[in-house]
Amino acid sequence: MTEYFEVHARDGAARLGELRLRDPVTTPGLADDVVVDAGSLWAADRDPPSGSETELTVLPHRAFPSGTDPAVQESFAVDYPDVDYPSAAVVTGATAADYGCDAYVLSTASGVVGHGESFRDEMIAVREAIPPDTALYLAGVATPANVSTLVAAGVDLVDAKRARVKGRQGIYCTAEGEYHLDELDELPGAFPSDPPRAEFTREDCVAHNVAALRSALTTVRTRIRRGRLRDYLEGQARHENWHTATLREFDHEYRYLERRTPVIRDTELSAASEETLDRVEIQRFADRVTSRYRNRFSNPLVLVPCSARKPYSDSQSHAQFHRAINYRGHLVSMTSPIGVVPQELECTYPAQHYDAVVTGDWTEGEKHFVAEVLRRYLERNDYSRVIAHVPGEGYRDICERVAADVDVPFEFTVEDHPTTDESLSNLAGALAGETKYSKRERQHNTVRAIADYQFGPGAGDDLFPDLRTTSRHPKLQVRDGSGTQLAAQVPQYGVLSFTLAGARHWAASTAPTKRVEIDSFVPHGSVLAPGVVDASDDIRVGDEVVVEGPVAFGVGRAEMSGPEMRTSTRGVAVEVRHVEREDNA
């Protein structure tokens, strides 16, 4: 049982946590001053030390370097004792397991850091094998430049050993890279405490490197708090090939990252490089739009370019499109890096939360991605025709590629630019004779589309067969035929939030329900992980969840993934919004 480590926030595999010593250590952070090594069992037999709550004790261990045969590791496995103080076990990808410790030290770190594929495999093997509410410590490998990559992969604790060694070697470290002192006329990234270059010694270099590492960790923690570590990581990946390789290697491990990535945020997603296309949030949105979303309009599809302003409907260009369309066509926006965004989902994360670099030029990777999403979208949804009201810069190329692959006719209506009078007249003319859909139909389809996206295919019809809406988009209130409110649209994220009546309706429906089973208590404000008996595997941070127990029923938002809820012994599992005691309790 973990007693001395707790995770407070998550950003992909990166976590913000606390090593709960007498003087707590915020993680990701430096472990130099709080770790005590009880020694190697290769040298001699050792009794467990007495330990203390002021430090993290690495229990007597046998470390194996990278590449050691798994059979050898198994033969010399250590039977770690159960102790009542903060403790750590030494593991590799092959030996990692739950040893009842608060932290785990990766003995193969120095052999895999610097090798993208090996580092990826070792990190995933260890993180998947040890409890989620335990810290992972990599010793002797951290630098100001690579610590963001380490943390993004799932590392919680590092030390300054490598930074110190480099300083003694005359290597000056910054968050962007390293320099040999004898090649520097001035000091890039110097701190106010650093002496002038003419007086700068190797001991000064040691102090600078440690300070730079602390500063880099501060930046990383701030980025995690804001949910924007990935943006920073994409920038860091430009400074060294290993960072680029590691970013790409982990992007190929969608399952590992997706389980750990929140489904909603209210922070901006920066789309500044082609690597953004591989982000979990982007891939997840594209997958849900092409596998869960179903168009409920009978009108033609109208494809339009995205806008810099979010949500798109608030932009001047989209206001012009809406006037020309006049509810006679189903509007879907095309954009990189999101793919395609049906009008019903334009407020749903991350569709209104990204900021892309606008140059008018599309890379081949962007064209391929958006074309593939559009093709899959059209294969799933039936339209009589597609009106492509798009400019020539990339958009038309994408549409022409897809038009050749699908059995639905495309019409192009833009002359020069989508907002010229001639183009808008062409768009309005292309929809002449089409039946106009009502505000009621639009609102109902929006609610059901969000439900499909949020909960699973068909959820909109299963949950809301008899539907009324009040208020206005993006703050729609969802009621049943008798007027009972079931849910509300959350404008910050564009998802649905259930009332207690709505949660009971959800739990009793055939729609996929994300459930958290709790023990015999009525939660007030939050459910802590020790109170969770079971949880659905597909729960992710930010998901709407039903909370059920012998004496309580409630609804709230997940603060952990389902698998993490089941195995953690510390931390908030669910923030409960509504709860009531069961009548039969």
Side-chain angles (χ1 to χ4, degrees), residues 118 133 174 238 297 300 312 381 415 583:
S118 299
D133 56 344
T174 72
R238 295 291 177 266
F297 295 96
Y312 306 134
N381 294 286
E415 297 290 340
D583 293 337

Side-chain angles (χ1 to χ4, degrees), residues 82 89 108 121 125 188 252 262 282 320 325 337 346 455 571 578:
D82 184 16
T108 55
D121 291 345
H252 296 156
I282 301 301
Q320 293 175 289
I325 295 168
E346 70 170 18
F455 305 116
H578 305 293

Side-chain angles (χ1 to χ4, degrees), residues 191 193-194 206-216:
F191 296 98
S193 57
D194 288 343
V206 170
H208 166 86
N209 288 355
V210 174
L213 179 55
R214 290 186 185 277
S215 177

Side-chain angles (χ1 to χ4, degrees), residues 504-542:
R504 289 193 180 278
H505 175 72
W506 182 27
S509 75
T510 57
T513 307
K514 298 186 178 185
R515 303 174 187 267
V516 178
E517 181 185 347
I518 62 173
D519 219 328
S520 299
F521 65 96
V522 179
H524 298 284
S526 60
V527 172
L528 301 181
V532 175
V533 175
D534 199 6
S536 302
D537 273 339
D538 59 350
I539 292 174
R540 301 293 179 259
V541 174

Side-chain angles (χ1 to χ4, degrees), residues 292-294 296 448-461:
R292 294 186 177 189
Y293 170 85
R294 180 172 64 82
R296 292 175 170 83
R448 291 185 174 118
I450 293 172
D452 288 345
Y453 177 91
Q454 189 173 354
F455 305 116
D461 294 330

Side-chain angles (χ1 to χ4, degrees), residues 64 73 77 80 89-99 104-106 122-131 136:
F64 299 97
Q73 297 185 46
Y80 287 102
V90 177
V91 298
T92 68
T95 63
D98 183 0
Y99 295 113
Y104 293 83
V105 183
L106 183 62
E122 195 77 347
M123 281 295 303
I124 292 176
V126 172
R127 278 260 63 121
E128 297 280 61
I130 63 178
L136 181 57

